[in-house]
Amino acid sequence: MKSKKITVTDILGMKKEGKKITALTAYDYLFGSLLDEAGLDIILVGDSCAMVVQGRETTLPFSMEDAIYHSKAVRRGVKRALLIADMPFLSYQVSDDKAVEHAGVLFKTADVDAVKLEGGQAIAGAIKRIVTAGMPVMGHLGLTPQSIKTFGSYDTRAKEPQEAEQLLQDALSLQDAGAFAVVLEKIPAELAKKVTRALTIPTIGIGAGPFCDGQILVTQDMLGIFDKFRPKFVRRYADLAHEIRNACQKYADEIRNGTFPSSTESFND
Ligand code: KIV
């Protein structure tokens, strides 16, 4: 039986009903369809693609062309989950007009269900314009990777009272601007709890403890495919990098020793 497509209204309803929201990232058709079949509520075409897929040092080089290309591919595999695309660095900070235009391109060409923007009060105007134009927005606060050059490190954010209070105010202004949810990345669990209680829209945590309304991880991290480094908040549900290296090594060995292909793997008539 075909299950009902998840909407932004469903995600808001899940907070009211106390149901945890599940989210993972995908960058291509294959992972999009696998995660969709696994029953995830949200699938994010994250700009983490720049680091995980393109081998870049930061998320900053991720372009609108990249976002469109990867969102289109994931869209073809996602039938049920809410599909959200990250808006690339400088696609929404330059002006509110540009933000609406760029968000519109993702909706028109890749048929995404929502977009995600990093930042607080400073981008509330852009969010309001995008939402008013009919496009749902998810916010992102805490360790916002597009600001890595300002932060200088990937350390936990908002540990000091002043930054924690600012984050709470930012979360409230995103909600006022019309965001339907907000990602909280790498902040103390107690602060995430406070923000989650203060908002009527759901919080989706990554390294923000257990009190958020939902959780997101980078799929390649939790599957152990990307094993170059492992943040403390990542739980590994598989060790696929090891499995893939072993399988590929075995394949190469069997070609070299002549056991692949066998006669049953060949066309003999
Ligand atoms: O780019 C990304 O993958 C993200 C999530 C991990 C929240 O922003």
Side-chain angles (χ1 to χ4, degrees):
M1 200 179 69
K2 227 175 121 188
S3 51
K4 183 187 157 297
K5 207 184 152 349
I6 296 181
T7 65
V8 164
T9 313
D10 296 324
I11 299 295
L12 283 158
M14 288 176 79
K15 174 160 183 147
K16 284 205 190 91
E17 292 162 26
K19 285 190 191 154
K20 289 281 188 186
I21 300 160
T22 59
L24 281 172
T25 59
Y27 316 114
D28 60 24
Y29 162 79
L30 182 60
F31 272 90
S33 55
L34 288 171
L35 301 187
D36 203 46
E37 284 157 20
L40 272 296
D41 301 311
I42 291 176
I43 296 175
L44 172 71
V45 184
D47 58 1
S48 49
C49 179
M51 298 168 81
V52 176
V53 175
Q54 300 173 341
R56 316 299 284 255
E57 290 285 318
T58 71
T59 60
L60 302 190
F62 195 66
S63 65
M64 272 304 292
E65 287 71 27
D66 293 333
I68 294 165
Y69 176 89
H70 290 281
S71 299
K72 277 183 173 176
V74 177
R75 171 81 283 169
R76 291 182 201 114
V78 175
K79 309 289 176 231
R80 175 184 169 272
L82 190 82
L83 178 63
I84 306 180
D86 253 341
M87 289 196 65
F89 177 58
L90 289 194
S91 69
Y92 55 94
Q93 296 94 336
V94 174
S95 74
D96 294 355
D97 286 344
K98 282 252 177 287
V100 177
E101 266 175 40
H102 286 138
V105 172
L106 289 164
F107 278 80
K108 276 176 173 243
T109 61
D111 190 26
V112 299
D113 301 314
V115 287
K116 177 165 79 60
L117 282 70
E118 296 183 8
Q121 278 162 5
I123 57 148
I127 291 181
K128 203 170 190 162
R129 287 278 310 280
I130 298 172
V131 172
T132 305
M135 300 176 275
V137 171
M138 178 186 250
H140 186 159
L141 295 171
L143 177 63
T144 45
Q146 291 179 12
S147 301
I148 191 60
K149 303 272 182 184
T150 306
F151 297 151
S153 81
Y154 287 97
D155 289 348
T156 312
R157 302 303 309 174
K159 286 194 281 194
E160 301 307 324
Q162 205 182 339
E163 195 185 339
E165 179 53 30
Q166 182 61 52
L167 189 140
L168 176 60
Q169 293 312 318
D170 281 337
L172 290 167
S173 60
L174 296 184
Q175 177 171 272
D176 288 348
F180 74 90
V182 55
V183 169
L184 299 177
E185 179 161 353
K186 222 171 169 198
I187 62 168
E190 281 304 314
L191 175 60
K193 185 185 196 176
K194 193 170 168 186
V195 174
T196 300
R197 284 188 176 164
L199 297 182
T200 54
I201 59 171
T203 58
I204 311 293
I206 171 162
F211 308 113
C212 295
D213 298 303
Q215 298 290 330
I216 185 162
L217 284 175
V218 169
T219 301
Q220 282 73 1
D221 286 343
M222 57 78 81
L223 291 179
I225 307 176
F226 188 77
D227 65 351
K228 307 288 173 233
F229 58 87
R230 177 183 177 177
K232 168 186 154 92
F233 58 80
V234 171
R235 184 178 294 178
R236 285 240 173 106
Y237 288 84
D239 184 10
L240 295 191
H242 181 73
E243 294 266 326
I244 291 169
R245 279 188 209 106
N246 277 355
C248 294
Q249 212 167 34
K250 190 159 184 240
Y251 167 73
D253 286 348
E254 290 184 355
I255 294 171
R256 289 182 190 122
N257 68 25
T259 56
F260 177 80
S262 65
S263 63
T264 55
E265 289 152 338
S266 307
F267 298 97
N268 300 314
D269 44 23

